[in-house]
Amino acid sequence: MLPSPAPSARDLGVIFSAAWQTDPMSDRRVLVNLRGLLTPDPAQTWAVDRIPEAALAIEDGRVAWIGRASDLPATWADAPRVDGGGAWATPGFVDPHTHLLFGGNRSGEFNRRLAGVSYQQLAAEGGGIRETVRATRAASVDELVASGEERLMAFHARGVVHLECKTGYGLELEAESRLTAAYAELKRRGWSLDVTLLPAHDLAPEFNGNAEANARAVAEDWLPELVRRHPGVARFCDVFVETGVFSADQGRRIFEAGKRLGLIPRVHADELTWTGGAELAAELGAASADHLMFCSEAGMKAMAVADATPVLLPGTTLFLGMRDWAPARKMIEVGCRVALATDFNPGSCPCLDPLTILRLGCLQLRMTFEESFTAMTLHAARSLRHSDLGHLHPGARAEVLLWDVEEMLELVYWVGEPFRPRFCPA
Ligand code: NIG
Ligand code: FE
């Protein structure tokens, strides 16, 4: 099904993970000549360390020490030096919500949406998401892998070192299976991904609006069969719980089936209307509930108690031209560890740029730069249950970005600038 031998991410010139660039046994070096280092503190919720004139020691692909260069312990005196060129060092971004793989694109509906045709209306006419489903069903695994790898390279060039990626544009078993196979191949090529099964992304046209029968097929047939065909590929499952799509009750049954298969729930929740998605995520022990523009106060409090991460997607609010931004400040106030993500997809947010999301986090969700940055690193990684990503404290994967700016705040301040990070060289 796939060209053999397939080119790997490394063959394509992508430096993806410091961990596999060198022989781990001999990998011991110190990153020096840094203007500073900025990292969330994984032991706290919103604290960010800002270390001027910093150094960072790496051993076996992991951070071994951080601090002021003048305090570097003597044990590192003989380790090879890597010149940071006077940059700021930060952890790489983690994107905890993308729909990476799909066929076609929906630029054709853009002007109609500007003229006032709503997202729901387009879908009801058989366009919108239906158009992407048709194009995705027509795509081969090879085609999905090729377009997926191009998108991953774009994400990577902008500093994203790990992503969550969903299936969901197949809406029937064989197409969902091809999407899962394409993700398996991308993982095999070395991309750092978590895969989420989302065959309940919308009502499949074959069910003619019968959400109940559709939910039953997903729970009883499609999810078990996808896991059987592609063992170990997916870690999470997701359902679009929304008025006119799947109810909270149908979502609950699909998630329970997913949990029996070892899949951890993430919920598309309260995006266009309130449907109790946040409450459902808390009840299920979900890793996250995502979107949440119409989340209730009870829902966010329940999520804080259950430690389910709200993953907010301000690029989607912007692109859909909505006025209701997710209540990030309120969520932080009630104790949620808010994360941010692109929601990269062809319909509601065709955006591969973490800096756009970082800026919207500040400018529209009213998060400080430090909060927005923490939401796109530490809390994004936590929502995917990775404790060694999203920060640069000892033990973290040495996924280090180097930014050529005087102050890190400039990344959001120069609002249209396409800053690109350098990567800590091998
Ligand atoms: O996250 N809400 C559902 N899914 C996507 C959009 C799907 C599409 O329009 O293609 C989202 O916004
Ligand atoms: Fe989404």
Side-chain angles (χ1 to χ4, degrees):
M1 218 179 333
L2 285 157
S4 180
S8 70
R10 207 180 337 185
D11 296 334
L12 292 161
V14 177
I15 300 166
F16 197 69
S17 161
W20 54 249
Q21 285 163 36
T22 52
D23 171 8
M25 298 313 288
S26 62
D27 175 25
R28 200 166 185 271
R29 56 220 149 102
V30 184
L31 178 59
V32 293
N33 189 20
L34 296 173
R35 181 180 288 268
L37 183 150
L38 193 91
T39 176
D41 175 353
Q44 299 186 58
T45 304
W46 292 109
V48 171
D49 299 319
R50 187 181 182 283
I51 308 170
E53 285 152 32
L56 177 146
I58 298 170
E59 189 161 28
D60 301 342
R62 299 211 168 243
V63 177
W65 182 88
I66 52 170
R68 284 191 178 245
S70 54
D71 295 334
L72 187 71
T75 46
W76 291 94
D78 297 334
R81 289 331 195 223
V82 175
D83 185 358
W88 275 92
T90 73
F93 292 118
V94 172
D95 193 334
H97 184 136
T98 79
H99 303 253
L100 185 78
L101 295 184
F102 52 82
N105 76 65
R106 306 235 290 276
S107 50
E109 73 190 24
F110 189 81
N111 280 343
R112 283 193 73 212
R113 282 208 305 103
L114 292 185
V117 184
S118 74
Y119 179 86
Q120 291 102 316
Q121 210 172 324
L122 283 163
E125 289 169 9
I129 190 169
R130 291 283 161 94
E131 186 182 331
T132 303
V133 169
R134 281 192 292 276
T136 306
R137 286 180 176 186
S140 67
V141 175
D142 290 10
E143 287 165 342
L144 293 168
V145 169
S147 58
E149 195 143 50
E150 265 177 41
R151 293 165 191 163
L152 286 169
M153 284 193 264
F155 269 120
H156 184 259
R158 291 161 176 77
V160 178
V161 301
H162 181 85
L163 301 90
E164 183 261 13
C165 320
K166 301 173 195 296
T167 69
Y169 286 108
L171 299 186
E172 54 96 10
L173 179 60
E174 295 309 324
E176 287 290 308
S177 185
R178 284 194 293 280
L179 288 162
T180 314
Y183 282 128
E185 173 59 16
L186 289 168
K187 284 173 71 161
R188 195 190 68 74
R189 293 184 185 193
W191 294 101
S192 189
L193 310 176
D194 281 308
V195 178
T196 298
L197 298 180
L198 176 56
H201 190 190
D202 194 9
L203 301 181
E206 290 75 13
F207 284 90
N208 294 318
N210 187 343
E212 193 58 33
N214 196 339
R216 204 173 323 116
V218 172
E220 293 175 15
D221 301 332
W222 300 359
L223 282 180
E225 183 59 13
L226 290 169
V227 170
R228 191 192 68 75
R229 289 189 197 180
H230 308 282
V233 173
R235 286 183 69 210
F236 300 97
C237 62
D238 194 343
V239 177
F240 189 18
V241 175
E242 185 56 63
T243 307
V245 191
F246 293 103
S247 67
D249 204 46
Q250 288 156 349
R252 181 183 293 105
R253 276 180 272 139
I254 296 172
F255 284 123
E256 293 294 358
K259 280 168 83 167
R260 285 194 291 277
L261 296 161
L263 303 170
I264 307 165
R266 314 180 74 78
V267 189
H268 270 76
D270 305 328
E271 176 181 357
L272 305 169
T273 57
W274 177 84
T275 47
E279 289 85 340
L280 177 67
E283 171 200 322
L284 288 165
S288 72
D290 306 33
H291 285 289
L292 303 175
M293 280 95 102
F294 295 93
C295 180
S296 72
E297 197 165 329
M300 60 183 97
K301 284 185 177 155
M303 286 186 70
V305 172
D307 200 16
T309 305
V311 176
L312 306 185
L313 312 166
T316 307
T317 318
L318 176 79
F319 197 78
L320 292 180
M322 294 169 72
R323 278 171 315 204
D324 298 279
W325 298 84
R329 288 251 59 90
K330 184 86 202 163
M331 288 170 174
I332 292 171
E333 215 174 277
V334 303
C336 291
R337 297 175 207 255
V338 172
L340 292 172
T342 58
D343 191 21
F344 171 69
N345 77 75
S348 67
C349 195
C351 172
L352 295 150
D353 182 31
L355 285 186
T356 298
I357 306 305
L358 190 72
R359 289 161 179 164
L360 289 173
C362 295
L363 296 170
Q364 292 292 355
L365 303 187
R366 317 310 290 177
M367 297 167 79
T368 64
F369 166 73
E370 288 76 10
E371 286 168 341
S372 200
F373 187 76
T374 301
M376 297 189 64
T377 50
L378 184 69
H379 296 336
R382 272 186 100 258
S383 88
L384 295 168
R385 312 239 160 128
H386 293 295
S387 58
D388 59 354
L389 280 169
H391 66 92
L392 291 176
H393 274 241
R397 273 166 55 180
E399 301 280 7
V400 186
L401 308 184
L402 298 172
W403 299 95
D404 293 311
V405 288
E406 279 185 29
E407 283 299 333
M408 281 301 295
L409 244 161
E410 291 182 56
L411 292 192
V412 292
Y413 172 78
W414 300 110
V415 76
E417 284 308 296
F419 295 107
R420 294 284 183 273
R422 290 182 287 121
F423 293 81
C424 173

